[in-house]
Amino acid sequence: MRVVTSFEISHIRLMLLYLDPGSGSLIIQIIIGALLAIGLTIRIFWSRIKAFFLRKKPDPESPNSGDTKTPEIDERN
Amino acid sequence: MNEINRVPASFRDPSGFVFQQDGHLYRQVNEGYTSHYETLMNSGLYASLVKNKMLVAHQEVAINSPWQEGAYRILEPTVIPWITYPYEWCFSQLKDAALLTLAIQKLAIQHGMTLKDASAYNIQFLNGQPILIDTLSFEIYPEGKPWEAYRQYCQHFLAPLTLMVYRDVSFNRLLQVYLDGIPLELTDQLLPIKAHLDFGLFSHLHLHARAQRKYSGKTAPAPRAGPEFSRLSHQALIENLEATTQKLAWKPTGSEWADYYKSTNYSDRSFDSKLAIVKDYLHQVQPEQVLDLGANTGIFSRVASAMGIPVISTDYDPGAIERNYLEVKQKKETNLLPMVLDVTNPSPGIGWNNQERAPFFKRIKADTLMALALIHHLAISNNLPLDTMAEFFSQIGHWLIIEFVPKEDSQVQRLLQSRRDIFPNYCAQSFESAFDRYFVIHAKKEVAESSRQVYLMENKTWS
């Protein structure tokens, strides 16, 4: 069994990249994705904080100022 | 003699292509795609997609294709009986196709794969629901790389849907002009400023358009060492696209036809009588399929579909088709396909050699046609002579259930209100003699409490 060279890998990837994704599309996607990832991380983090406090005390603590929306992590499969 | 030909639309993807041989449809998988195909089949992704009816199932077949050199496998996929295109869909059909694409992408990521394209033409309707037909759309997830299909998703789905909501419901017709989706710069110019109020639309359409303009003609910067697009970013992006798409909602109002059944001169008795006539004719014909022209919200189409006959239910009003499709979903109907069609201007052949996407009447065939409450519109509003109409119908079907609406009828009076009556020949006798040239008139019944007649005709020129 021979090792696949990196040339072949890039050749295959180029072959599969038959679709032109567009340079601008890739760049903006990275930026938007990064922003949304921060938002997603905060939502996950916030829901863990809430879950932690709700578990510890029977009466939930008064919510902190700012975001009081319940984060909805969509776990559709 | 073997009839072998490559399907005209299937040529861009080096991973494989679709062809017809001896009346069967096959998909060739080329060698370069091997590792991706095996991952698709072995990772559990294929099984999961097929189980959830998100991808057409296929069989691997041991035949030789004329392009055997370079072939890895030949697949025989499930056949879609009727091919329809995104510019022929109503709003919710396009939206459901979009949401399916994203749902597939989420599932693919879970199995270590990704969609390499997000074209609306990869989705078809089967048994009432959207489904992915391009089995070779998947590739192994490239860690750290952004989603290649993002641009296509925005142009094929998000742009037309947004234009349909914020401007006019017919804007998906632009997909007929722009084969790779509506350009984002054009979309940007057409949308009102209030579309910017939605973060998703602002990012994926407006900022995206600006980025495209800025970087057009420039090559992408060389990939940095290390991942530039984390899985978390990818997941967040897909979820945001999903939420943004989900939020888009269109309500059909003000379209003259969606209110049609409220303001006609049908008494309940005439309505029931027409239903009974149509049912009786369908029992006599026992059609294999029905093409209903001018079906409005599909009430009479459902007489046929309730008998188990596959029906394609068309109308030129997108509002009526929207209601029709929502009813299909709500009742989980599996043999009714609604779509938008203007009989006087059906979808032409477009794309490469004007054959890539076939014209409507070459693509959609049925042995039985229904043309109820239609021909007075063709004759009066469109000035079509009865002879021309008869010739047209004789070219597209074997059996014809057709309604003649005479001048005395209030619907025709309404059409004549704003124009001169230049239709001296528009009468039942002329209608019958025009159609007699091509059809045998088997039956003619009057709709109760009206002057309308419904005919059952058989095409004597049909081979």
Side-chain angles (χ1 to χ4, degrees):
Chain A
M1 189 178 81
R2 72 179 173 86
V3 175
V4 181
T5 65
S6 63
F7 172 75
E8 282 162 311
I9 292 174
S10 60
H11 173 73
I12 289 165
R13 270 231 84 219
L14 278 170
M15 194 188 88
L16 287 162
L17 209 80
Y18 80 103
L19 185 70
D20 174 15
S23 322
S25 301
L26 294 173
I27 292 164
I28 197 72
Q29 195 190 147
I30 291 166
I31 297 170
I32 297 171
L35 282 171
L36 291 169
I38 295 169
L40 185 59
T41 309
I42 291 174
R43 282 197 343 252
I44 296 172
F45 184 63
W46 186 243
S47 77
R48 283 191 193 149
I49 298 235
K50 274 195 142 183
F52 176 76
F53 279 111
L54 286 169
R55 223 184 324 125
K56 274 225 150 179
K57 299 181 181 206
D59 297 326
E61 298 217 336
S62 55
N64 290 333
S65 64
D67 189 57
T68 53
K69 274 199 314 198
T70 317
E72 274 161 28
I73 315 293
D74 194 0
E75 291 192 67
R76 219 182 311 170
N77 57 332
Chain B
M1 184 64 183
N2 289 356
E3 256 250 44
I4 305 171
N5 37 51
R6 279 176 77 142
V7 164
S10 185
F11 57 85
R12 292 205 172 80
D13 186 358
S15 304
F17 55 89
V18 178
F19 65 99
Q20 282 169 322
Q21 184 169 304
D22 301 330
H24 288 252
L25 190 75
Y26 299 109
R27 185 183 289 277
Q28 173 161 320
V29 183
N30 288 335
E31 270 167 1
Y33 192 72
T34 302
S35 56
H36 302 278
Y37 177 73
E38 290 303 326
T39 308
L40 171 66
M41 302 308 291
N42 300 328
S43 63
L45 179 59
Y46 172 80
S48 187
L49 287 168
V50 168
K51 184 170 148 228
N52 288 305
K53 300 195 181 149
M54 293 160 100
L55 172 69
V56 291
H58 69 260
Q59 301 285 333
E60 292 181 10
V61 292
I63 62 155
N64 283 334
S65 92
W67 305 276
Q68 198 59 36
E69 191 182 291
Y72 172 67
R73 285 275 189 281
I74 310 286
L75 316 177
E76 186 164 11
T78 314
V79 174
I80 307 285
W82 283 314
I83 297 290
T84 55
Y85 293 137
Y87 44 87
E88 296 170 331
W89 295 340
C90 65
F91 174 78
S92 287
Q93 284 172 314
L94 185 60
K95 181 173 169 178
D96 286 351
L99 292 172
L100 173 69
T101 303
L102 294 174
I104 290 172
Q105 176 66 359
K106 278 165 63 170
L107 199 59
I109 295 173
Q110 284 173 25
H111 290 86
M113 299 201 85
T114 184
L115 280 171
K116 68 186 193 221
D117 52 24
S119 158
Y121 297 92
N122 283 350
I123 309 289
Q124 286 296 330
F125 283 85
L126 181 66
N127 299 332
Q129 287 185 314
I131 196 166
L132 178 68
I133 58 167
D134 189 355
T135 313
L136 310 187
S137 228
F138 298 94
E139 65 170 6
I140 294 165
Y141 185 88
E143 284 297 339
K145 297 283 170 238
W147 191 30
E148 293 166 69
Y150 173 66
R151 179 190 63 80
Q152 237 185 6
Y153 181 82
C154 294
Q155 294 188 196
H156 280 243
F157 292 113
L158 199 58
L161 286 170
T162 307
L163 284 166
M164 289 165 97
V165 168
Y166 283 83
R167 285 302 190 201
D168 187 280
V169 76
S170 300
F171 261 115
N172 64 323
R173 297 291 305 277
L174 274 179
L175 294 170
Q176 194 176 301
V177 174
Y178 296 104
L179 280 167
D180 198 20
I182 307 179
L184 296 179
E185 215 170 326
L186 178 62
T187 306
D188 208 28
Q189 285 173 344
L190 292 171
L191 284 174
I193 300 293
K194 70 177 177 185
H196 289 185
L197 295 175
D198 180 290
F199 172 77
L201 297 177
F202 178 70
S203 308
H204 304 302
L205 294 180
H206 177 69
L207 290 182
H208 193 170
R210 287 181 58 181
Q212 275 190 346
R213 195 161 61 235
K214 180 166 180 194
Y215 292 98
S216 69
K218 302 181 187 151
T219 53
R224 301 195 314 264
E228 50 190 18
F229 197 64
S230 67
R231 282 226 181 191
L232 189 68
S233 295
H234 195 141
Q235 181 191 344
L237 182 82
I238 301 297
E239 285 187 7
N240 184 268
L241 283 171
E242 201 170 48
T244 306
T245 307
Q246 188 67 262
K247 262 191 269 180
L248 292 168
W250 177 69
K251 293 269 171 280
T253 55
S255 58
E256 40 177 342
W257 292 104
D259 297 310
Y260 177 81
Y261 285 105
K262 293 182 197 152
S263 58
T264 62
N265 61 333
Y266 278 129
S267 62
D268 279 333
R269 245 201 92 212
S270 0
F271 201 71
D272 290 339
S273 127
K274 189 163 153 183
L275 282 169
I277 295 170
V278 170
K279 194 166 178 187
D280 172 55
Y281 286 168
L282 287 168
H283 268 296
Q284 288 184 45
V285 172
Q286 296 291 316
E288 286 176 17
Q289 313 106 355
V290 167
L291 168 58
D292 192 353
L293 302 170
N296 195 261
T297 55
I299 295 185
F300 295 95
S301 299
R302 286 182 167 81
V303 175
S305 66
M307 290 165 61
I309 307 165
V311 181
I312 188 156
S313 185
T314 76
D315 196 86
Y316 103 120
D317 174 39
I321 297 301
E322 175 81 7
R323 288 199 181 185
N324 195 346
Y325 177 66
L326 293 177
E327 192 178 337
V328 168
K329 283 178 69 176
Q330 190 241 330
K331 293 183 177 167
K332 299 196 188 335
E333 295 170 298
T334 59
N335 59 345
L336 189 72
L337 174 56
M339 59 175 292
V340 181
L341 169 72
D342 180 352
V343 175
T344 65
N345 186 17
S347 315
I350 62 167
W352 180 252
N353 211 11
N354 283 138
Q355 288 179 6
E356 198 178 331
R357 307 292 169 201
F360 179 84
F361 286 104
K362 279 217 161 62
R363 236 184 309 140
I364 309 285
K365 310 263 191 196
D367 61 315
T368 301
L369 310 167
M370 285 185 5
L372 303 169
L374 175 69
I375 65 151
H376 55 297
H377 292 285
L378 300 179
I380 310 290
S381 306
N382 287 280
N383 292 35
L384 271 163
L386 291 166
D387 298 313
T388 312
M389 268 190 255
E391 187 189 17
F392 166 73
F393 283 112
S394 76
Q395 288 166 354
I396 58 171
H398 183 184
W399 294 93
L400 177 60
I401 297 174
I402 184 165
E403 182 178 15
F404 182 75
V405 184
K407 270 191 196 168
E408 314 88 78
D409 188 278
S410 66
Q411 286 294 311
V412 183
Q413 287 301 311
R414 211 170 71 168
L415 294 178
L416 286 170
Q417 247 168 22
S418 52
R419 51 183 309 175
R420 272 200 348 215
D421 186 345
I422 51 168
F423 311 101
N425 292 329
Y426 185 77
C427 60
Q429 292 91 319
S430 308
F431 169 77
E432 287 177 25
S433 76
F435 277 75
D436 187 64
R437 197 160 150 216
Y438 303 93
F439 293 87
V440 174
I441 298 176
H442 284 300
K444 164 178 160 182
K445 291 191 188 171
E446 189 174 278
V447 177
E449 291 177 15
S450 83
S451 45
R452 301 173 170 222
Q453 309 266 10
V454 183
Y455 294 75
L456 175 61
M457 301 190 187
E458 185 177 4
N459 191 343
K460 52 191 179 190
T461 69
W462 193 252
S463 49

